[in-house]
Amino acid sequence: MIRRPPRSTLFPYTTLFRSRRSYGNLTLDRLNSYFRYAVSLDSTSKFIAGGGETKFKWYQFKIPLKDFIKKIGNPSFTLIKYIRFWISGVSKPVHLRFAEMNLVGNQWRKVLIANKVTDADSVMTVSTINVEDNPNYYSPSGVFRERDRTKPNQQVYKNEQSLDLIIKDLKPGDKREILKDLYRPLYLFNYHKMKLFIHGNNNQETGSLTHYDSTGWASEVYLKFGSDTLNYYEYREPLKPGWDANNISIDFSELTAIKQERDSSNVLFEVPVKGKPGHFYGIRGNPTLTKVSFFIFGVSNTGRDTANVFGGKTSGDIWLDELRVVGADNTPGWAYRASATLKLADLLSVSFNMGRTDPFFHTLSQRFGKRVDSKTWGVAANLDVMKLIPFNMKGSHFNINYSHSESILKPLYLPGTDIKVDVAADKEKEKLKSKGVSDKKASKIAKQIISDAQTVRTSDTWTLANIQLRVPSRKWYINDIINNLTFGFTFNKSRGRSPTVLLSSNWIWNTSGKYLLNFSRDNYFYPANIPVFGKLLQIFKDYRNVKVYYTPQSFNTSFSASRKYNFLQSRPTGSKGVIPKPSIQRDFSAKRSMAFSWRLTEGGLLNLSMNYRSEERRVGKECRSRWSPYH
C-alpha cells in the first residue's frame, strides 16, 4: 500500500525500482543483473488494484513480475535478494509512505485459446479481493476470519479474501475460463458434496453480468473438474447478484448417477438439477472422483435476449471463495471373525471359520473403509485313518486332510468408477424399460450388473501327505522294502469370477513316492584278518585297523509327478461386447531320481568314500486358446 502525495506535486512523475540477483557467495558481487520496472503513480495507473476511497488516499498497487521494462545482465526469478527503489522526474520533494509489501501469487491462470484468448486479453482479469485491502469487500455468510494462533495473547485475525474475476465487454456466446492444475490428483471419493461460494455484482443495469429476471439471465457460470479435458464433470448455473443466490452445491451421488443415463461418452451430456431451474449436471468421457487433476471455472454470455435487454456485451465482477468438499463419509463400520473346532479323540478334527468386513470398516491407521463388503468362510477336516485299523502299526502315518473355502467381495461402486452398483443397476433397468424391454428381462440384466461387479472364489483341497505303512513283520522284504516306502498326494481345485474375468477354473494334482534304505553299520571286514594278505598288511602301522565296507550306507530312490490345468475366460471388451478367446493351459511334469552313499574304508591313513546321484526330469506344456462353452 502506498500513500500518494497530492496530484499537483506528483503527476507525471514515475517511480522505478529494480530487483537484483545475489549469488550468496560472501564476496562483493559487482555484476549488474536485475529486472527493471516502471510504475506510474498517477491515479489512472494500470497497476492500481484498489484503495483511494479514504481521505488519506492510500492505494494498492499490483505489479505483475512479467511486466518488467528491461532486463539487465542475466537475472533469474529463482534467486531474488534485494529490491531498490528510486524516483525520477521530480522537481520538488516527494513524500511516499509504504504500508506493506508482499510477493503474492495465484494458482489460477487464464485458459488460453489460439487466435482468441491470449495473455494480453483484456476481457477478463484475474485478481484477488480481501477484507484488509478492499473496503467494499465482504465475506460470504458463515465465513469468518481465522484467528492467528501463533499469538495466543492477542486478538489478531488473518486476512480473508476471494478470487476476483473482472469481466469487461464479454460478447454474446463468448466465454472466459480460469484453470487450476493439481500436482497431485485429489481423491474425493470419500466425500458427499463439493461447494463453492460465488458472488455477482449488484449492478442491475443493462450489460450487467448478474442481470436476471423471468425472461432469462445474462450470464452463466460453470465449474469443471476431472482427469483431463476429455474426461470431466461439470456443474452449470445462472449468475445472480450477491453471495447467497449463487452457492454451488454438487451432490456427488446425483452427479455420478447420470453416467448410466447417457448413450455416448464422447459428447457433453447434461441433466437438470431437481428443484433448481437453470442448474445442470454435466459429464463428458469417463471421469472419476478418485482422480481429479484440474479445476476449471468459467463464465459465459448467454446471448439469449433478442431485444438486447441483457444479450449484448456484459461486464462486472465475480468473486469466488471457499472451494471445498464437505460431508466426509463417517458411516459406522463393523467387522467380525469367528472360528470353532470339533475333535473326536485322535480320530477326527473339524474346524470352521468365517468372517465379514462391511464396506465402511477401517483400522486405526486408515481414514476410510475400502467400500467393499467382504465375506469369507471355510471348513477343514483331518482324519487319521490309522485309528480305524484294528491292530497296531507302530510308526505308521496315514492322514487325510480336506479343506473348502469361499469368498465373495461385493463392492459398493462399479470397479474403476465412482458409480454405485445399485444405482447403476436401477438406472439401467429404467433405461431398458423406457425402450420397451419387458420388466422381467430388464430385472435380469440389472441383477447381472450387480453380479458382474462381484469377485467370487471357491477352493477345494485334498491332501494325503507322508503316507507310511509300517507292517509288523520280521521278514526282510517287509522290513527292507514295504516299510521303507513313503507316498504323498495333493489335489486342489478352484473356480472364480471377477469384474474382468468371466470364468476362471483351474486344478492341479501332485503325487510323490520315496524309497529309503539304510544299511547296517556292521557290514564291514578287516583286511588285516585275511590269511597271508593280512599278515603282510599288519606290517604297515596305519592300516592295521582299517575297515572295508562291502555295502553302501544308504540308498534312496524317488519319483514325483504334477499335472496342472488352467482355464481363463475374460469378459467381453469394447463397445460391441466382443467375447475374447479363452486361454487354456495344460502342464505336466515328472521327475525321478536315484542316489546312494558309500563309505568304502574307515580307520586308515587314506579313507575312500563315494556319493552318487542321478536325476531325470520330464516337462510337457500345452497352451491353447479356443472358444469356451461358458460364454
Side-chain angles (χ1 to χ4, degrees):
M1 298 287 290
I2 301 177
R3 186 186 178 198
R4 186 173 59 83
R7 182 181 178 90
S8 59
T9 62
L10 179 63
F11 184 79
Y13 302 149
T14 303
T15 194
L16 298 94
F17 66 93
R18 63 187 181 186
S19 60
R20 184 186 179 106
R21 182 179 181 182
S22 173
Y23 293 93
N25 53 12
L26 303 179
T27 59
L28 178 62
D29 183 7
R30 293 185 290 181
L31 176 65
N32 283 323
S33 185
Y34 56 87
F35 298 100
R36 177 178 290 175
Y37 299 79
V39 181
S40 173
L41 296 183
D42 185 76
S43 60
T44 61
S45 173
K46 66 178 182 178
F47 296 117
I48 293 180
E53 292 84 359
T54 65
K55 64 179 181 179
F56 299 105
K57 301 299 181 184
W58 284 96
Y59 287 85
Q60 182 187 43
F61 286 79
K62 291 186 177 180
I63 305 158
L65 294 179
K66 63 182 180 62
D67 290 351
F68 53 86
I69 62 172
K70 193 174 183 180
K71 184 166 68 171
I72 310 300
N74 186 30
S76 171
F77 286 114
T78 60
L79 184 60
I80 300 293
K81 196 170 183 179
Y82 299 105
I83 297 179
R84 182 168 59 188
F85 290 85
W86 76 90
I87 305 294
S88 64
V90 177
S91 59
K92 57 181 66 176
V94 175
H95 183 201
L96 298 177
R97 288 190 292 174
F98 298 88
E100 188 178 43
M101 286 186 59
N102 294 306
L103 291 173
V104 298
N106 189 359
Q107 296 179 349
W108 295 82
R109 56 184 175 86
K110 291 182 182 179
V111 176
L112 305 181
I113 304 175
N115 302 322
K116 186 175 182 180
V117 181
T118 64
D119 285 329
D121 178 66
S122 61
V123 175
M124 180 177 69
T125 302
V126 183
S127 183
T128 58
I129 187 168
N130 59 70
V131 172
E132 294 184 353
D133 300 330
N134 308 96
N136 62 323
Y137 172 76
Y138 63 100
S139 302
S141 177
V143 176
F144 304 97
R145 298 177 66 180
E146 182 182 355
R147 183 177 175 181
D148 189 350
R149 300 297 179 182
T150 63
K151 301 176 181 178
N153 298 326
Q154 303 178 37
Q155 293 288 344
V156 179
Y157 294 90
K158 296 181 180 180
N159 196 9
E160 199 283 313
Q161 67 178 11
S162 294
L163 195 65
D164 185 13
L165 304 183
I166 305 170
I167 307 298
K168 182 178 180 182
D169 295 334
L170 183 64
K171 297 179 181 180
D174 204 358
K175 65 180 181 180
R176 289 296 184 271
E177 297 177 336
I178 56 174
L179 166 70
K180 180 178 181 179
D181 284 315
L182 304 175
Y183 296 106
R184 287 182 55 188
L186 290 178
Y187 191 91
L188 306 180
F189 213 54
N190 296 310
Y191 297 88
H192 294 159
K193 291 184 179 181
M194 178 186 290
K195 293 188 175 183
L196 173 66
F197 289 115
I198 302 177
H199 179 280
N201 62 11
N202 294 314
N203 184 3
Q204 295 298 313
E205 299 177 358
T206 301
S208 171
L209 279 171
T210 59
H211 188 100
Y212 184 94
D213 57 25
S214 59
T215 62
W217 46 88
S219 306
E220 289 182 336
V221 291
Y222 52 89
L223 179 66
K224 300 178 182 179
F225 57 95
S227 56
D228 53 59
T229 54
L230 296 178
N231 299 275
Y232 61 85
Y233 290 113
E234 180 177 311
Y235 188 92
R236 180 164 53 89
E237 67 173 26
L239 180 62
K240 300 178 183 179
W243 282 116
D244 297 334
N246 296 292
N247 292 346
I248 284 182
S249 180
I250 303 174
D251 190 311
F252 288 150
S253 61
E254 296 180 4
L255 179 66
T256 56
I258 67 176
K259 284 183 177 180
Q260 297 299 110
E261 301 180 19
R262 57 181 177 169
D263 295 323
S264 174
S265 62
N266 298 325
V267 295
L268 179 63
F269 178 75
E270 292 185 327
V271 174
V273 180
K274 295 180 181 179
K276 295 184 178 181
H279 293 238
F280 294 89
Y281 286 127
I283 180 176
R284 182 178 182 182
N286 294 293
T288 174
L289 296 177
T290 61
K291 185 180 180 182
V292 176
S293 301
F294 75 93
F295 288 95
I296 288 180
F297 182 86
V299 55
S300 63
N301 186 336
T302 59
R304 297 175 183 171
D305 183 39
T306 57
N308 201 30
V309 174
F310 57 84
K313 295 181 179 180
T314 57
S315 302
D317 288 53
I318 303 175
W319 301 344
L320 308 178
D321 200 4
E322 294 285 335
L323 177 61
R324 63 209 183 276
V325 288
V326 297
D329 190 354
N330 59 354
T331 306
W334 53 268
Y336 70 80
R337 290 179 181 176
S339 62
T341 301
L342 173 65
K343 297 189 70 175
L344 300 178
D346 295 333
L347 174 63
L348 176 68
S349 65
V350 180
S351 61
F352 174 80
N353 67 84
M354 65 180 301
R356 183 174 180 182
T357 303
D358 91 323
F360 307 104
F361 177 80
H362 60 91
T363 62
L364 293 176
S365 60
Q366 298 172 324
R367 294 186 60 193
F368 301 100
K370 296 182 179 180
R371 302 180 300 278
V372 176
D373 187 355
S374 174
K375 299 178 182 178
T376 60
W377 74 273
V379 61
N382 181 25
L383 174 64
D384 190 350
V385 179
M386 301 308 302
K387 301 299 181 182
L388 299 175
I389 298 177
F391 52 89
N392 185 20
M393 296 180 65
K394 187 177 180 180
S396 298
H397 184 275
F398 191 176
N399 281 28
I400 299 177
N401 291 277
Y402 170 74
S403 64
H404 175 85
S405 64
E406 293 187 12
S407 66
I408 179 169
L409 305 179
K410 298 180 179 179
L412 282 183
Y413 296 84
L414 292 177
T417 73
D418 47 19
I419 309 172
K420 284 191 173 181
V421 174
D422 54 350
V423 173
D426 292 340
K427 293 288 184 181
E428 185 66 17
K429 182 179 179 180
E430 294 175 3
K431 183 179 178 181
L432 292 173
K433 291 175 66 176
S434 66
K435 294 181 178 181
V437 179
S438 65
D439 182 72
K440 182 178 181 181
K441 187 175 182 180
S443 299
K444 182 178 179 181
I445 295 176
K447 290 180 180 179
Q448 190 64 39
I449 292 176
I450 297 175
S451 177
D452 291 347
Q454 299 172 356
T455 299
V456 180
R457 182 176 177 82
T458 62
S459 177
D460 292 275
T461 303
W462 293 86
T463 304
L464 289 81
N466 195 28
I467 300 175
Q468 294 178 330
L469 299 178
R470 306 291 186 180
V471 180
S473 175
R474 294 183 178 181
K475 297 179 179 180
W476 70 268
Y477 57 86
I478 298 294
N479 288 326
D480 293 342
I481 297 178
I482 296 178
N483 289 352
N484 287 329
L485 292 173
T486 304
F487 298 96
F489 178 79
T490 61
F491 176 78
N492 174 265
K493 183 179 181 180
S494 61
R495 189 181 180 92
R497 56 181 170 85
S498 71
T500 58
V501 177
L502 181 63
L503 176 64
S504 172
S505 177
N506 60 77
W507 53 260
I508 181 174
W509 58 258
N510 296 278
T511 185
S512 63
K514 183 179 180 181
Y515 173 73
L516 174 62
L517 178 62
N518 292 316
F519 291 86
S520 173
R521 298 289 296 179
D522 296 331
N523 295 341
Y524 66 88
F525 64 91
Y526 289 100
N529 295 333
I530 300 175
V532 181
F533 177 76
K535 292 183 179 181
L536 180 63
L537 189 63
Q538 289 181 0
I539 300 175
F540 302 97
K541 181 180 179 180
D542 293 332
Y543 291 96
R544 292 176 181 175
N545 298 317
V546 67
K547 296 178 182 179
V548 176
Y549 290 91
Y550 53 87
T551 61
Q553 278 70 46
S554 65
F555 171 83
N556 68 81
T557 181
S558 65
F559 77 92
S560 63
S562 176
R563 183 82 164 116
K564 180 167 59 176
Y565 172 84
N566 288 321
F567 175 89
L568 180 65
Q569 172 68 71
S570 300
R571 292 191 180 276
T573 58
S575 58
K576 297 182 179 180
V578 179
I579 300 177
K581 293 182 178 180
S583 173
I584 301 176
Q585 180 179 344
R586 297 182 178 91
D587 292 329
F588 176 79
S589 62
K591 182 179 71 171
R592 60 181 180 179
S593 64
M594 185 273 290
F596 65 85
S597 176
W598 196 340
R599 188 171 188 177
L600 298 174
T601 62
E602 181 182 6
L605 179 62
L606 295 176
N607 296 310
L608 303 178
S609 64
M610 179 173 60
N611 291 296
Y612 176 81
R613 182 176 181 82
S614 175
E615 185 175 293
E616 181 183 5
R617 294 175 181 266
R618 291 181 181 269
V619 179
K621 185 175 183 181
E622 179 185 0
C623 298
R624 294 192 299 175
S625 294
R626 67 181 183 186
W627 291 106
S628 166
Y630 298 99
H631 58 71

